[in-house]
Every structure is written in C-alpha cells, then in structure tokens.
Amino acid sequence: MGEDHPDADLHPEATGLAAATVKAHSAEHPLKLHSGWFCPFVQRVWIALEEKAIAYQYIEVNPYHKPESLLKLNPRGLVPTLQYDNKPLYESTVLCEFLEEAYPNYAPQLLTEDPYERARTRIWTDFVTSRIIPAFHRFLQHQGTDGLEVKRDELLGYLKQFTREMSPSGPFFNGPEFQLIDIIIAPWALRLWVFDHFKGGLGVPERGKGGEDEEVWGRWRMWLEAIEQRKSVKETTSDREHYLPIYQRYADDKAQSELAKATREGRGVP
C-alpha cells in the first residue's frame, strides 16, 4: 500500500515493556518474527516465543507500508509472518502450534499430549476466531446508538460462553498451567478497555453485581487478572496511549485494515 494509506500514520515502534523485549531481540537470528507492535494477532505469536524462551529476531513492519522483504515471504503482506530457515510461515494460530511442534524441548508445553484436550483447544480456538473477534469488531465499529446494545450483548454472550468452558479452579482456562488457548484470546481480552474509552463500556458487571451470572463473571475476572499479570503478556504490551489512535479509527469505522474491511462487509476474520 502506498504512503497515503489512511492507517499508515501510526506510532512506529513498541513502547513500555514491549520496547525492552524488542531491543533484546534485535540481533540477527535465523528465526525472524515480522511484526507490528500493535497487532493482536502478532501478540499471540510473540507471547508464545517469549513463554518458551525461543531465540528469535524481531523485525518491526508497518503493514501499511509493506516492504518488499515482507511481500516476498507473504504475498498478502500481513503480520505476523515467521521466517524459519529462510522459509515463510503465517497465520497466527498456525504459528503458535508450529512453535510448539518445532521446539518440543522448550518449556512450558502450550499443548498437552492428550488428543482430546488438543482437540478441545482447537474447538475453542475456532470459537475465539469465528465468534469473539468478529463480535469485538462489530461492537467497536458500530456507529450510532441504534443497535449498539445488541452488539454489546453479543460480545458479552460469547465471553460468557467461553468462560463457562474454563476449569472451575483456574486461574487459566484449563487450570493452573498457562496454555495455548489462553494465548489465543489474551490480546483481545487485554484490549477490552477500548470499549470503556469509545463505546460507553463493555458492561462486564462489577464484583458482586453479576446477578445470576455472578459466578461466570467471577471466573472471567480470575482468568483476566492472571493473564494481565503474566510476564510474557506484560512484556509484549505497549503503552496504552499509543493504541488509542489505532482503535479510534476502528471506533469511527474508518480503519482500512483487512479485518476492519471484513467486519464492515459482514465477513469473519480474513
């Protein structure tokens, strides 16, 4: 895309704790993560790399000024793109599973060996991609007040459905261990504050005020607090102020990312 792309004027690099992570992975390395610091799909893969302490090189890309080096690897020019032995791989969920399979001796294990649990992880990964993320964007990009409550209730309903599948004891989805399914949804959970800023709040009840849903929202809060305190999550998150202009464009329904356009056209995650 050209220099005049409307989304191209964004903060050029990671900030806060994420900036230190970028600096620690700036040296040349055969495993290269082509990233956009702000992108939630990137953050999935970035968290997985940090969790497993896999050595890699971080390469910042403005996906609206696509460099030729990225287009040669991924014709769609999307991030995250992983360069592994000079071969390209992309799609964030695929990349997370690839890291688990390609680096089996790196702890922690993000997927169990149990085939049932692996299948269940894939079911709820698909739920995040096909239900939660589109509902997140339908609510964020909705204009005006007519129908806004419907969009809010849709997202809240999907979050409750997801939470009811969590182990009762927690704190993570499957229990005490931080795993792939936690990584898959974490970037969007971390960004739910955008609704307080732009859409009058998401409406998750305060502690003790959830009525008949108090138990499920209590479990959601336990999970979210554990996610927010996870070292790999904190160290791949930039300062909130720099996300604001990006999400302002979504909230105004002016963003031109592939995801924004797909949402506008009533399609799912591209």
Side-chain angles (χ1 to χ4, degrees), residues 51-76:
E51 274 293 319
K52 296 177 77 67
I54 297 168
Y56 65 96
Q57 179 184 359
Y58 181 101
I59 299 173
E60 186 66 47
V61 174
N62 183 330
Y64 308 112
H65 295 160
K66 301 181 193 299
E68 194 61 34
S69 57
L70 177 64
L71 290 169
K72 284 179 179 176
L73 294 167
N74 182 346
R76 297 179 70 195

Side-chain angles (χ1 to χ4, degrees), residues 213-238:
D213 290 326
E214 177 60 29
E215 187 177 347
V216 70
W217 287 124
R219 182 66 184 88
W220 168 260
R221 283 190 292 269
M222 179 203 294
W223 176 85
L224 185 57
E225 287 166 9
I227 292 298
E228 289 173 338
Q229 293 306 311
R230 192 75 180 179
K231 184 172 184 285
S232 62
V233 172
K234 292 198 289 187
E235 293 183 355
T236 56
T237 301
S238 285

